[in-house]
Amino acid sequence: MIKSLFKDTAIYGVSSIIGRFLNWCLVPMYTYCFTEAQYGVVTNIYAYVAVVLIILTYGMETGFFRFANHDRWTSPGQVYTTALCSLGVSSTLFIVAGCMASPVLARWLDCAAHPSFVWMMVITVGIDAYTSIPFAYLRYRNRAVRFATLKLMNIALNIGLNLFFILLCPIIWRSNPEWIGWFYNPSFGVGYIFAANLISSLVVLMLLVPEILAERYDFSGKLLGEMLRYSYPLLILGIAGVMNQTIDKILFPILASDKAEAMTQLGIYGANYKVAIVMVMFIQAFRFAYEPFIFSQNRRQGNDTKAGYVAAMKWFIIFGLFIFLGVMYFLPWLRYFISPKYFAGLRVVPIVMMAEFFFGIFFNLSLWYKLTDRTIWGTWFSLTGLAVTVALNVAFVPLYGYMACAWAAFCSYGVMMVASYLVGQHYFPVSYGIRRLAVWFVFAMLLWGISILLTTSNLFLDFPVRMLLLLVYAAAVWKMEVKSMRAGEQ
């Protein structure tokens, strides 16, 4: 059971962790090729994109998994095609409306000279929203390899096009501009980031045609109504959740005390946020495997059902803390993935990583309201977290800049995590073994503190010490958890 979850997490991790890692590797290129202010524009636009993408999918991914495994609906194909039709119509309407309004939106986003930035991202978001259901279908059919392959192809193409437009084309332009003058314009700048994204999304859409046509279309208005009723709290939850992650990047240019430097500071914050994305990658990979896992486990109704949830939580926390320690121990080397002009923002990395770790625990805890059909609770938790985020940003960004953004995320996810646990123990009690999990957390923080105390000015001396501390953590996990688990299986 847990081995199956680990296997799927590993396969999905190929597309999520490795894929995002490769995308993460583009950050150095962006930070060296573009100014902090230009990168701030990219950060700002993608913050809006994340919110719009959640709105356009309106919780239908989780709704699909729920109804495809629902006792009242015996045809997963009908559930799939109904969701696909719904998203197809809404995404098409969004693309048409967004392209027509692109000049107005470009002025709103401070890129009036380039309305193409907007319509490219509008089309990209519409496509990505639509293809979320075929990708969910692959997860439902346990076709993890096909899922990972398509995701990796998307990422590889996106990265290749970024390298071509941002690195290779300027070299060709300086020597033989006539070769590429018909499609390349140096003044387009960061627009090529959006162009690469659009092209890769179009290619993936074409590759997903077999999945789009995999089932006989059988649209049901009644089914769609029930799916929407189930999913609309998840939509609000999703909006609140993604706004918790992006609202700081949307509000920062508005709230910053120095408006002239706002985009520069946002660029610094956005680049350093990317350093902490390793935790996000782990959570995303786990999420892809965990959602189908909890619904299939719930159908089994066996005695070990909740034991599976407990084990999943334990191992998520253990691996999450390992990732935190790894990044923090080797941050003196990892920081060179961004330009030194961005180093001033490195202090946000541990705060953001721990905030994302709290969010991962919150996602694990979310099983109780998804399995009991009380999804409205997820909405309340996310709205509470969003309120904390907005309040702290409004109060402290003018005083402390982007550091306030990082601490707001930390507090927001911490509140959501605690609230979900306390309410969940009333409606769907699961004995997670909080004391043992707390021991692992304190142990990891202790090891991090020891590394800080032993830090010298010599990186070559620090490296073996930090590696030893990481091995101490791994050895403790092996002795306390892996061996006991194996003994229990025997």
Side-chain angles (χ1 to χ4, degrees):
M1 178 177 61
I2 292 299
K3 289 181 179 178
S4 175
L5 176 62
F6 282 163
K7 177 184 175 183
D8 286 349
T9 300
I11 296 175
Y12 290 125
V14 171
S15 61
S16 183
I17 295 179
I18 297 178
R20 288 200 178 205
F21 173 77
L22 293 175
N23 268 328
W24 177 62
C25 290
L26 291 174
V27 174
M29 180 177 69
Y30 296 155
T31 59
Y32 281 96
C33 293
F34 303 118
T35 66
E36 298 97 308
Q38 287 176 314
Y39 190 67
V41 171
V42 174
T43 301
N44 190 235
I45 290 178
Y46 273 109
Y48 282 101
V49 164
V51 176
V52 173
L53 185 58
I54 291 295
I55 295 173
L56 283 180
T57 52
Y58 42 90
M60 290 297 278
E61 284 181 89
T62 302
F64 164 69
F65 284 118
R66 176 58 175 164
F67 282 82
N69 289 282
H70 206 293
D71 294 334
R72 291 180 52 238
W73 298 96
T74 58
S75 174
Q78 185 183 48
V79 176
Y80 172 59
T81 55
T82 296
L84 203 57
C85 289
S86 179
L87 279 175
V89 171
S90 57
S91 295
T92 301
L93 292 174
F94 169 78
I95 290 173
V96 173
C99 288
M100 291 176 63
S102 58
V104 176
L105 295 173
R107 288 194 295 271
W108 173 265
L109 296 171
D110 292 328
C111 57
H114 296 286
S116 55
F117 289 7
V118 175
W119 64 253
M120 283 191 296
M121 291 314 299
V122 163
I123 298 174
T124 301
V125 172
I127 293 172
D128 290 348
Y130 176 69
T131 56
S132 66
I133 295 301
F135 275 119
Y137 178 77
L138 288 172
R139 291 160 59 196
Y140 173 76
R141 293 297 184 188
N142 293 320
R143 298 185 62 190
V145 174
R146 166 79 170 162
F147 179 99
T149 300
L150 290 176
K151 287 289 186 179
L152 282 176
M153 289 181 66
N154 181 16
I155 293 164
L157 182 58
N158 186 34
I159 292 173
L161 289 170
N162 268 273
L163 296 175
F164 174 71
F165 285 128
I166 298 174
L167 292 185
L168 183 59
C169 282
I171 296 174
I172 299 175
W173 181 264
R174 286 192 292 269
S175 57
N176 300 95
E178 68 277 4
W179 291 2
I180 59 175
W182 60 278
F183 70 85
Y184 179 74
N185 182 355
S187 65
F188 200 54
V190 295
Y192 287 113
I193 298 175
F194 307 129
N197 204 337
L198 171 60
I199 295 170
S200 58
S201 291
L202 284 168
V203 170
V204 168
L205 174 63
M206 291 186 287
L207 293 174
L208 279 169
V209 168
E211 280 68 40
I212 294 172
L213 302 177
E215 300 282 351
R216 183 178 66 85
Y217 276 71
D218 184 16
F219 178 81
S220 169
K222 180 181 178 182
L223 171 60
L224 178 61
E226 291 201 21
M227 291 180 72
L228 291 174
R229 279 192 293 274
Y230 175 83
S231 299
Y232 89 85
L234 297 177
L235 167 61
I236 302 173
L237 184 156
I239 293 173
V242 78
M243 287 189 74
N244 276 332
Q245 296 177 323
T246 61
I247 193 67
D248 52 353
K249 303 170 189 69
I250 293 173
L251 290 176
F252 188 85
I254 302 171
L255 299 173
S257 56
D258 188 345
K259 303 298 181 184
E261 284 289 307
M263 281 300 176
T264 298
Q265 294 299 306
L266 180 59
I268 293 173
Y269 176 60
N272 282 279
Y273 204 102
K274 292 290 187 181
V275 177
I277 207 170
V278 178
M279 186 67 74
V280 181
M281 292 188 286
F282 168 64
I283 294 169
Q284 185 68 19
F286 189 85
R287 173 182 176 273
F288 282 138
Y290 191 61
E291 234 175 15
F293 169 78
I294 63 170
F295 286 121
S296 62
Q297 281 292 106
N298 190 56
R299 293 189 71 179
R300 291 177 56 179
Q301 299 295 325
N303 294 327
D304 61 343
T305 298
K306 288 189 177 181
Y309 304 147
V310 171
M313 173 67 84
K314 177 183 71 177
W315 287 106
F316 173 84
I317 289 177
I318 288 173
F319 280 113
L321 290 171
F322 181 84
I323 291 170
F324 175 84
L325 288 175
V327 172
M328 297 316 304
Y329 282 170
F330 303 112
L331 189 59
W333 295 270
L334 293 175
R335 65 179 179 170
Y336 290 104
F337 277 94
I338 59 176
S339 171
K341 60 190 175 186
Y342 292 82
F343 282 179
L346 285 170
R347 50 194 177 148
V348 307
V349 174
I351 305 169
V352 171
M353 283 202 70
M354 191 51 63
E356 294 293 346
F357 177 66
F358 288 165
F359 178 74
I361 297 175
F362 169 74
F363 178 80
N364 273 267
L365 293 169
S366 69
L367 67 91
W368 74 262
Y369 58 75
K370 291 178 180 178
L371 293 178
T372 60
D373 292 343
R374 291 185 173 91
T375 51
I376 191 64
W377 275 103
T379 303
W380 297 129
F381 297 143
S382 293
L383 288 175
T384 301
L386 179 59
V388 172
T389 300
V390 172
L392 293 180
N393 272 274
V394 171
F396 296 111
V397 163
L399 297 174
Y400 302 105
Y402 54 72
M403 286 302 297
C405 298
W407 281 112
F410 178 92
C411 295
S412 171
Y413 292 145
V415 168
M416 291 165 58
M417 173 184 68
V418 173
S420 182
Y421 172 76
L422 294 177
V423 178
Q425 290 303 298
H426 174 71
Y427 288 105
F428 192 82
V430 177
S431 180
Y432 287 110
I434 297 299
R435 289 185 179 179
R436 190 177 184 89
L437 297 179
V439 168
W440 282 115
F441 182 83
V442 172
F443 180 56
M445 295 302 102
L446 180 63
L447 290 177
W448 181 34
I450 292 173
S451 73
I452 295 173
L453 293 174
L454 297 179
T455 297
T456 69
S457 58
N458 190 323
L459 295 181
F460 293 100
L461 293 177
D462 292 340
F463 181 85
V465 172
R466 296 182 177 200
M467 181 61 75
L468 177 62
L469 290 172
L470 199 60
L471 290 175
V472 168
Y473 180 84
V477 171
W478 177 265
K479 181 176 181 179
M480 301 299 295
E481 302 294 347
V482 176
K483 281 192 172 182
S484 62
M485 181 174 66
R486 289 184 172 181
E489 290 177 351
Q490 293 174 356

